[in-house]
Amino acid sequence: MTDTGRHEPPLRLTRADLDALPNYVPGRSPADLARELGLPEAIKLASNEVPYGPLPGVVEAVAEAVAGSHRYPDMGVVALRQALAERHGVHPDRIATGCGSVALAEHLVRATCLPGDELLYSWRSFEAYPIIAATSGATSVRVPNDAGHGHDLQAMAAAVTDRTRMVLVCNPNNPTGTAVRKAELDRFLDAVGEDVLVVIDEAYREFVTDAEVPDGLTYLDRPNVVVLRTLSKAWGLAGLRIGFLVAAPEVAAAVRKVVTPFSTSMAAQAGALAALAQADEVQRRCALVVAERDRVTEALRKFVPDVPASQANFVWLPLGDRAVGFGKACEARGVIVRPFPGDGVRVTIGTPAENDAFLAAAESALA
Ligand SMILES: Cc1ncc(COP(=O)(O)O)c(C=O)c1O
């Protein structure tokens, strides 16, 4: 093959401002790492998936659905929206689905922000937020996390201006695992005007054990609150790409207008319906993850005392400049984690055996 994928001289066909965005760097493949190290397998604790495979019945439901894959899926996502509505005790008009909750976050920005409008969020948080802001033409306003690595909601309320159209509250926060509690969220919502959309991103809600951390759905009497959920994590459907939001009917309808047509695939709709019938199994798996999260946190604190308490299915090591070196040391022992250069390392909770392998690697890197 002779195509180098480049033109000489370079052509400028796309927006210059996109040059400032990072290129997507795929995570290390466990198969490649295992081959390189001569190990039977490597362990991936880098993407916050639950390690126990698809839920019972999901593979069969998807196989049955894709037998009709020469047809378009149901664009109204009627059966799945109805099932989600029943599960959460809301009207289906309040629900929109999308190709992962990350796509819905993007659609929400598209539905609220014109170029120059402000999207406010805490930082460090989910790495997609700045990319979504930049690609939509919104201006990112980042409020630094507090000393405990969580949202500083008071500072965030103070950062709202008359250009702020949308605020993201990541609860629990990716990648630090911290969570905001009811009293502070109540105060924040009272302080922010009702004309600003507040999106509570609850991708990790199923792993929350602190009774003081509120379920975003209890705030739906406020028309400016949107709750974002995913089936990628606790529900084991990361590869099928399905998330949903619950909002005021007018907001959900606006999102359904801007959503890429048919982006909730036939496989995703069928897989999600099958998964929703497995709520007890999800709860059982989440309890395993939570027990392991607490064990891993305690073990890590012997070496890194300020590991914050996590309410999600991952833990955060605030290692600063040692983050990249720590990531490399784990990889050398066959464990892939997620370093954020100069800041910290996020480690997903795996099976007990995977966590043991990680803790052994961490101990040798940190001791
Ligand atoms: C905070 C947060 N929100 C949203 C998502 C997106 O999840 P998905 O697009 O798979 O639904 C993630 C995934 O890592 C996340 O961490």
Side-chain angles (χ1 to χ4, degrees), residues 22-82:
N23 285 317
Y24 174 70
V25 183
R28 194 75 212 270
S29 134
D32 286 351
L33 181 62
R35 209 172 305 118
E36 189 184 301
L37 297 174
L39 294 171
E41 58 183 7
I43 296 167
K44 184 179 167 232
L45 301 178
S47 301
N48 299 344
E49 299 125 334
V50 165
Y52 300 112
L55 287 160
V58 165
V59 171
E60 294 78 2
V62 170
E64 198 184 317
V66 298
S69 57
H70 57 301
R71 304 282 183 200
Y72 283 102
D74 170 15
M75 188 163 156
V77 198
V78 174
L80 177 57
R81 282 174 50 228
Q82 181 66 40

Side-chain angles (χ1 to χ4, degrees), residues 160-348:
V160 171
T161 72
D162 55 7
R163 296 306 304 264
T164 310
R165 303 303 327 135
M166 182 171 143
V167 183
L168 281 153
V169 175
C170 192
N171 204 34
N173 187 44
N174 174 10
T176 59
T178 53
V180 299
R181 291 180 154 172
K182 179 169 165 38
E184 49 181 333
L185 189 56
D186 287 353
R187 268 195 303 276
F188 175 75
L189 290 170
D190 288 342
V192 172
E194 276 201 341
D195 58 337
V196 176
L197 206 69
V198 178
V199 178
I200 310 177
D201 184 345
E202 295 189 332
Y204 302 97
R205 172 68 204 172
E206 292 84 352
F207 306 102
V208 170
T209 49
D210 179 345
E212 296 287 307
V213 176
D215 180 334
L217 296 173
T218 59
Y219 288 98
L220 287 180
D221 55 332
R222 298 179 186 249
N224 63 324
V225 169
V226 178
V227 177
L228 209 48
R229 295 270 178 100
T230 182
L231 282 90
S232 295
K233 314 292 180 181
W235 298 85
L237 296 179
L240 286 183
R241 311 304 303 125
I242 171 80
F244 66 99
L245 61 75
V246 189
E250 303 72 30
V251 174
V255 170
R256 289 197 299 270
K257 278 183 198 165
V258 301
V259 88
T260 307
F262 302 109
S263 58
T264 306
S265 76
M266 190 178 273
Q269 294 186 39
L273 276 168
L276 289 176
Q278 295 291 328
D280 290 347
E281 174 61 9
V282 169
Q283 217 176 351
R284 190 187 71 82
R285 292 177 178 199
C286 288
L288 294 175
V289 169
V290 163
E292 281 296 287
R293 170 185 84 198
D294 297 346
R295 178 177 78 93
V296 169
T297 303
E298 207 177 299
L300 287 172
R301 281 186 178 152
K302 289 185 197 129
F303 307 104
V304 186
D306 53 345
V307 169
S310 172
Q311 286 291 301
N313 68 333
F314 50 82
V315 291
W316 174 249
L317 286 101
L319 291 174
D321 290 340
R322 292 186 294 155
V324 170
F326 179 84
K328 286 198 177 122
C330 289
E331 267 188 24
R333 310 246 331 209
V335 183
I336 304 166
V337 296
R338 178 75 161 83
F340 293 84
D343 200 352
V345 179
R346 189 191 68 202
V347 185
T348 304

